[in-house]
Amino acid sequence: MISFTSCSNDDSRENTIIEKPDINGVWKPERYEYKGKTYPLTDCEKKGQIIVNTNFTGVYEKYGENTSGSCNLFDSFSGNWKYDSMSKVLTLTYNESGVAKTLQKQIEDFSGTELKINDTSKDLDNVPGNDEAILVFIKQ
């Protein structure tokens, strides 16, 4: 008895192009995500933005309410962005009074429409200490 075994290299798979989402654009804060729950932002917080131009110049702005309930611009930096896809860090280099400084944002995930950044700046659960939440930005 003779047996034949045929091995074939089935390369019938289509060439698939995996597109990486484009980080360039205007990103507006939309909500917090923390421990499986969603927390809305105030209208004041929604005024913030991350702008990443195609040449990687851009802006970071963060708004919040002061003690009297008025809306304040807490942070505003303009400079050059750099995105490290390996470490998922978005870094803005800017000048303040002639001194070069950096602002880093750790990216949890992003798609063509959402940018999720780790954020510990807000107490979401009314328990003292920083909440390790995700601040979700929506591309405009």
Side-chain angles (χ1 to χ4, degrees), residues 71-101:
C71 194
N72 275 4
L73 176 62
F74 286 124
D75 290 324
S76 180
F77 308 112
S78 178
N80 294 302
W81 288 105
K82 178 180 151 193
Y83 177 60
D84 182 339
S85 60
M86 295 298 290
S87 63
K88 291 186 169 183
V89 173
L90 186 61
T91 303
L92 179 67
T93 302
Y94 62 96
N95 281 310
E96 189 172 81
S97 302
V99 177
K101 296 189 174 189

Side-chain angles (χ1 to χ4, degrees), residues 6-26:
S6 172
C7 294
S8 70
N9 186 359
D10 187 5
D11 276 339
S12 62
R13 293 174 283 165
E14 293 181 32
N15 290 335
T16 304
I17 297 173
I18 299 172
E19 286 189 37
K20 292 194 311 191
D22 189 1
I23 199 142
N24 302 114
V26 177

Side-chain angles (χ1 to χ4, degrees), residues 3-7:
S3 172
F4 292 98
T5 304
S6 172
C7 294

Side-chain angles (χ1 to χ4, degrees), residues 25-40:
V26 177
W27 301 90
K28 301 292 275 183
E30 178 69 23
R31 67 186 180 276
Y32 276 103
E33 294 176 353
Y34 178 66
K35 292 187 176 180
K37 294 182 182 176
T38 298
Y39 296 85

Side-chain angles (χ1 to χ4, degrees), residues 49-53 57-61 76-79 81 92:
Q49 63 184 352
I50 292 175
I51 300 173
V52 182
N53 297 311
T57 60
V59 173
Y60 173 81
E61 292 179 340
S76 180
F77 308 112
S78 178
W81 288 105
L92 179 67

